[in-house]
Amino acid sequence: MILTNVASPTKPLVADDVEIVRRVLAHIDAGTTDEGAAWREPVVNYLDATRFAQELKMLRSMPSVFVPSAAIPNPGDHVERTAFGVPLFAVRGRDRRARVFRNACRHRGFTLVEGAGCAHALVCRYHGWTYRLDGSLAHVPHQEAFPDLDLPGRGLIEVDSHEVDGLVVIDALDSRPDPDDDALAWLTDGTPWRDKLVPAQRLVYVDATLRPMNWKVLVEQFLEGYHIRSTHKDTFFPLQYDDLNVVEVFGPNSRLTFPYRNIERLRDRPESTWSTDARVTYLYQLFPNVMLATFPDLMLMIVVDPVDIGHSMVTVYSMVRPEMADRSESDVGQPNPAAAGTLIARGTVEDNEMSEGVQRGLSSGANAFVEFGRHESAAGHFHAVLDERLARSTPAITAS
């Protein structure tokens, strides 16, 4: 069963480059793609306010990826994001440890970190309360005006977090971790993505955009290649194959391989020399709401944060290897490698147009369910995991 996939200590969680190339070439020759279970998702699950509230509560009760490590490489670097409706920020301490805090001053609750930056201390713009990088309260102007102030006890509220393999992962926001829940383990074993993400040490651009779509509709657009020819006929289709993916599942997460046509150049080369670099895009879906996407010389981390039933905040972190960043900084031009007009940006516009159309169609009354075929099994896996997590948390939701 896909929801209880347990990794063997001697078996890799995903295939290596050689095996991926073998599988892709076999699909090209046979005109096939990886197949899995079909799935039908009730339309009401995208439109019902009670369901959305349950999803949001469930999302706050489980671990998730917060930011890439590349967002805070140096002591004092900090960056904020609202995760599942909860304002948070991450900061790199003088001890080089990444910490995540709830983004509110302990005086009047003013948002402490706004945007990204680097500082020796964190100073609230409202009244000047000052915090060290480890979250402890360092200075209160006119401290004598607060006779009962417990300075050591009024530090910032930390969220338990773990930094591993290029990602900062947070624990549950609204509840204590379930010792029998293995969700955290699947996010802190980075062996499936380590060699792809960790070398992309330089964050070069961040973009956050409010999109008029349910968060699940946005996640779904990443999880199949069945639409390549029809949606991306002048962008990705000339470079990639329509409806040809390798799909791998590890725990609640999945990895899709989108091969480029140049992969066929490997046919006449020894297998020992095969590499997927610049020959595939890997798409890692890290449950529940984060995607890692590899492109030649570029790694994207895409976060989809639910805002309400019909809106989501999409934050994209663009990362490159240091040598690529140094090269682009010496060039004159747009620093965003996925800027308007680039292939990635044009493809993204096309995907978002399709998702907006899906969102509008959900309210038409035409369909009782959204159909995912056997060639869209990664989307089915996502929904199966979501259903399982909701079923697990529903008693707690009802009791509260």
Side-chain angles (χ1 to χ4, degrees):
M1 176 65 180
I2 56 176
L3 301 183
T4 56
N5 179 29
V6 178
S8 164
T10 59
K11 182 180 179 181
L13 297 179
V14 293
D16 62 16
D17 282 8
V18 171
E19 179 59 24
I20 289 294
V21 175
R22 286 188 191 130
R23 291 172 66 174
V24 168
L25 294 179
H27 280 315
I28 293 171
D29 293 339
T32 56
T33 186
D34 276 13
E35 294 188 348
W39 183 270
R40 289 178 170 178
E41 182 67 11
V43 166
V44 68
N45 287 350
Y46 299 87
L47 302 175
D48 182 70
T50 299
R51 164 80 180 211
F52 178 80
Q54 291 174 343
E55 289 175 352
L56 200 58
K57 191 170 183 67
M58 180 274 294
L59 293 170
R60 292 172 180 164
S61 72
M62 63 177 299
S64 61
V65 176
F66 185 55
V67 293
S69 297
I72 50 170
N74 303 308
D77 287 344
H78 52 268
V79 61
E80 54 88 18
R81 202 191 101 224
T82 297
F84 312 131
V86 181
L88 306 172
F89 74 89
V91 60
R92 180 80 60 189
R94 298 183 189 281
D95 57 1
R96 305 203 67 84
R97 178 184 157 195
R99 295 175 175 86
V100 178
F101 297 98
R102 294 179 184 266
N103 196 3
C105 177
R106 300 302 307 284
H107 173 215
R108 297 271 289 278
F110 186 82
T111 300
L112 187 64
V113 170
E114 300 169 283
C118 185
H120 296 296
L122 303 170
V123 182
C124 179
R125 289 199 300 115
Y126 198 177
H127 295 93
W129 283 36
T130 302
Y131 303 85
R132 301 178 183 90
L133 299 181
D134 64 2
S136 59
L137 182 57
H139 174 66
V140 174
H142 303 291
Q143 185 176 335
E144 70 279 2
F146 301 89
D148 298 323
L149 180 64
D150 175 17
L151 205 69
R154 291 295 286 278
L156 299 173
I157 302 302
E158 186 170 0
V159 174
D160 289 340
S161 63
H162 316 263
E163 183 175 23
V164 60
D165 295 318
L167 298 175
V168 177
V169 177
I170 56 174
D171 281 357
L173 294 171
D174 284 355
S175 62
R176 292 188 177 183
D178 180 351
D180 296 324
D181 189 350
D182 62 357
L184 181 62
W186 288 112
L187 291 180
T188 52
D189 178 358
T191 53
W193 62 83
R194 179 185 300 145
D195 63 333
K196 313 299 181 187
L197 175 60
V198 172
Q201 299 173 2
R202 192 76 62 85
L203 180 71
V204 292
Y205 203 81
V206 180
D207 176 74
T209 306
L210 184 67
R211 299 286 182 191
M213 287 89 88
N214 181 276
W215 75 281
K216 299 188 294 295
V217 172
L218 277 162
V219 171
E220 291 162 1
Q221 76 178 21
F222 295 94
L223 299 183
E224 44 88 7
Y226 179 49
H227 69 288
I228 297 295
R229 183 196 299 266
S230 55
T231 299
H232 303 298
K233 62 180 180 179
D234 297 320
T235 51
F236 295 148
F237 180 58
L239 302 175
Q240 296 181 308
Y241 298 88
D242 181 56
D243 198 23
L244 196 170
N245 297 112
V246 174
V247 179
E248 302 167 278
V249 166
F250 50 107
N253 312 314
S254 61
R255 185 177 81 166
L256 285 78
T257 301
F258 294 82
Y260 303 157
R261 296 179 186 273
N262 66 6
I263 200 167
E264 298 209 47
R265 297 175 187 170
L266 298 179
R267 288 184 185 274
D268 299 324
R269 301 180 187 179
E271 284 194 1
S272 60
T273 68
W274 284 0
S275 169
T276 60
D277 289 349
R279 301 191 189 279
V280 309
T281 281
Y282 287 116
L283 189 289
Y284 299 83
Q285 201 270 317
L286 304 183
F287 190 85
N289 66 325
V290 168
M291 275 62 63
L292 303 177
T294 70
F295 296 94
D297 302 323
L298 179 66
M299 165 69 82
L300 301 181
M301 174 173 146
I302 304 108
V303 186
V304 179
D305 277 308
V307 175
D308 57 35
I309 292 175
H311 294 86
S312 306
M313 183 63 72
V314 180
T315 306
V316 181
Y317 301 87
S318 298
M319 295 164 283
V320 299
R321 296 173 183 264
E323 60 270 23
M324 290 299 301
D326 294 339
R327 187 186 314 166
S328 63
E329 288 170 3
S330 65
D331 296 335
V332 176
Q334 169 61 255
N336 179 8
T342 64
L343 180 70
I344 294 173
R346 289 159 54 207
T348 299
V349 168
E350 293 164 345
D351 278 328
N352 287 328
E353 287 177 353
M354 298 304 108
S355 293
E356 288 183 27
V358 168
Q359 184 68 37
R360 291 192 299 270
L362 291 172
S363 300
S364 70
N367 299 308
F369 51 82
V370 177
E371 185 91 60
F372 298 97
R374 291 178 55 83
H375 296 186
E376 303 166 285
S377 62
H381 174 70
F382 163 72
H383 282 289
V385 175
L386 183 61
D387 277 5
E388 189 271 337
R389 299 294 310 192
L390 282 169
R392 182 186 304 187
S393 63
T394 295
I397 291 172
T398 303
S400 63

